[in-house]
Amino acid sequence: MTPSTTDRGRGGSCGGVLGTLVVVGAVIVGTLVVSPDLQLGDLRDAAVDPLHGEPGSGGDGYTFLQTTARGEPLTWPCEETVEIVVNPEGAPEGYADMVDSAVARLSTASGFDLEVVGETADRDFADRGFGPVLLGWADEEEVPALAGPVAGIGGSSYVQGPGGGGHAVGGMVVVDTEETGGWFSRTDPEAVLVHELVHVLGLGHTEDPTQLMAARNDGQSELGEGDLAGLAALREAACS
C-alpha cells in the first residue's frame, strides 16, 4: 500500500513489487503440517505472493492469502476468538485507542471475534506458532522484512491435516516505526492496522486499487466492497 507513483523491485524474503510506502502482508507465513502425532518441529515457512495473495484464488476484488489442498481459504475457526496481545514498545501516542478501534471495526465487518486481551513483552514476530496474535511496532534492524519502504507486515500460522483441511492458530502484525512520518501523514494510521489484521484473517492483496487490501494506498481508509466480499467468503468457509 503506497500513495506514491513509483515502484521498485526488492529481493529477499519479501519479494514482489514494492512502492515508496508499501504494506506487505504476510509475505512469509508459518505452516504447521499436522501429522497423527503433531510435532512442533514440523513448522516450515511457505512463501506467499506478497502482492496478489495465492494466484487464482478469491473472487471479484479480493484474493485469499493461502488455501488448502481442497482449494478452501485458510482462516480462523468459526467460533474461536482471535486473541491479540500488544507490545507497546515503539508505539505511537494513542496506540491503545487506535488498536481497539481497528479491532472493533474488523470484528464488525468480518463476523470474526477479534479481541485485545492484554499487553506483552514478547517481541518474537518471526516465529509465531500456537497462541495469540502478536501486534507491535519495530524497525528493520529488529525485523529485516521491514527494510526499505515497507510500512507493515502481518499474517498467520496454520495447521493443516491429512484430510486437506486447516485453520489458523496464531499470527502477528508489526508496523514499521521508521515509516510513521510519511505514511501516517498521508492516510489514516488505523487503516494500516486494519489492512494487516485482514491479512491475519486470511486475505491477500488485490489488484483493485479502490480496495483497502490493495498493495498501494491512494487514500482509502475504509474497507471496500471487494474487501467485504472477501471477508464474507472467509467467514463462510470457516463456518461451513
Side-chain angles (χ1 to χ4, degrees):
M1 298 173 69
T2 164
S4 83
T5 57
T6 59
D7 289 331
R8 65 183 180 83
R10 178 163 64 85
S13 62
C14 289
V17 179
L18 303 178
T20 300
L21 289 175
V22 180
V23 174
V24 179
V27 178
I28 297 294
V29 295
T31 301
L32 187 61
V33 181
V34 177
S35 64
D37 58 342
L38 179 65
Q39 298 292 320
L40 293 181
D42 289 336
L43 189 65
R44 64 181 177 84
D45 286 334
V48 178
D49 185 324
L51 191 60
H52 301 301
E54 189 167 296
S57 68
D60 188 15
Y62 66 92
T63 65
F64 298 131
L65 199 57
Q66 192 167 348
T67 60
T68 68
R70 299 194 297 238
E72 299 166 346
L74 280 164
T75 187
W76 293 77
C78 179
E79 302 300 328
E80 183 170 320
T81 297
V82 182
E83 296 185 341
I84 300 168
V85 292
V86 179
N87 185 307
E89 183 179 336
E93 184 178 355
Y95 74 89
D97 289 341
M98 183 172 62
V99 171
D100 286 344
S101 178
V103 167
R105 284 171 58 187
L106 189 52
S107 293
T108 299
S110 68
F112 288 93
D113 180 20
L114 290 82
E115 180 182 354
V116 177
V117 296
E119 295 193 342
T120 180
D122 183 4
R123 296 192 66 78
D124 188 3
F125 297 107
D127 299 314
R128 308 306 300 172
F130 290 92
V133 174
L134 173 61
L135 187 154
W137 292 259
D139 58 24
E140 66 180 80
E141 183 176 352
E142 181 178 6
V143 180
L146 293 172
V150 178
I153 56 177
S156 290
S157 300
Y158 306 96
V159 293
Q160 297 188 64
H167 60 83
V169 296
M172 66 80 127
V173 167
V174 58
V175 177
D176 192 346
T177 57
E178 296 182 349
E179 292 295 345
T180 56
W183 173 263
F184 288 170
S185 66
R186 292 174 178 268
T187 192
D188 179 2
E190 194 174 300
V192 178
L193 294 177
V194 174
H195 178 104
E196 298 306 337
L197 286 168
V198 172
H199 282 312
V200 169
L201 290 182
L203 290 188
H205 286 156
T206 174
E207 293 182 317
D208 183 346
T210 68
Q211 305 305 307
L212 185 59
M213 294 312 294
R216 294 168 57 88
N217 186 285
D218 293 314
Q220 59 269 37
S221 60
E222 301 294 330
L223 292 162
E225 291 184 3
D227 303 320
L228 294 173
L231 290 171
L234 289 176
R235 186 66 180 164
E236 181 179 0
C239 298
S240 60

